[in-house]
Amino acid sequence: MDRFLIDRIERLAGNVEKLRLSEYLQYVSDTRRLIWVNFISGVARGFGFAVGFSLLGALFIVLLQRMAVDSLPVIGEFLAEVIRIVEKNL
């Protein structure tokens, strides 16, 4: 029975060590580092959002231009006007 408990405790200690709990507690307790890491991650997310939105917007405009060039009946004229307005504002 005692050997069983010792094995379980050793396994539990190994699992806690794998979790790196002490490093996490140091990270959470260092408020400056926590604020800095969150700030950097927020800037990275914002930059990624801006780049992604720009790429998707450019792709959308290219698709609209191709649809307008294909001379779709009524929709083609409307899309051509939208594209002219967008290009004028760029």
Side-chain angles (χ1 to χ4, degrees), residues 2-3 9 12 14 18 23 31 39 51-53 58 68-69 74 80-81 86 89:
D2 286 335
R3 186 67 199 153
I9 291 172
L12 181 62
K18 286 179 188 176
E23 291 177 19
T31 55
F39 173 74
V51 169
F53 185 75
V69 167
V74 176
E81 183 64 28
V86 169
N89 288 328

Side-chain angles (χ1 to χ4, degrees), residues 17-18 23 30 41 44 48 64 79 83:
E17 211 171 288
K18 286 179 188 176
E23 291 177 19
D30 187 2
S41 66
L64 285 178
L79 291 177
I83 291 169

Side-chain angles (χ1 to χ4, degrees), residues 13-75:
N15 288 338
V16 169
E17 211 171 288
K18 286 179 188 176
L19 289 175
R20 299 167 66 158
L21 191 59
S22 63
E23 291 177 19
Y24 176 73
L25 290 176
Q26 285 177 345
Y27 170 73
V28 172
S29 64
D30 187 2
T31 55
R32 284 187 181 181
R33 181 173 179 217
L34 190 62
I35 290 171
W36 178 248
V37 168
N38 284 327
F39 173 74
I40 294 298
S41 66
V43 169
R45 280 189 204 108
F47 182 73
F49 178 77
V51 169
F53 185 75
S54 298
L55 291 176
L56 287 177
L59 180 66
F60 182 70
I61 289 175
V62 168
L63 290 175
L64 285 178
Q65 284 177 336
R66 289 198 177 158
M67 287 173 63
V69 167
D70 289 342
S71 298
L72 295 174
V74 176
I75 298 174

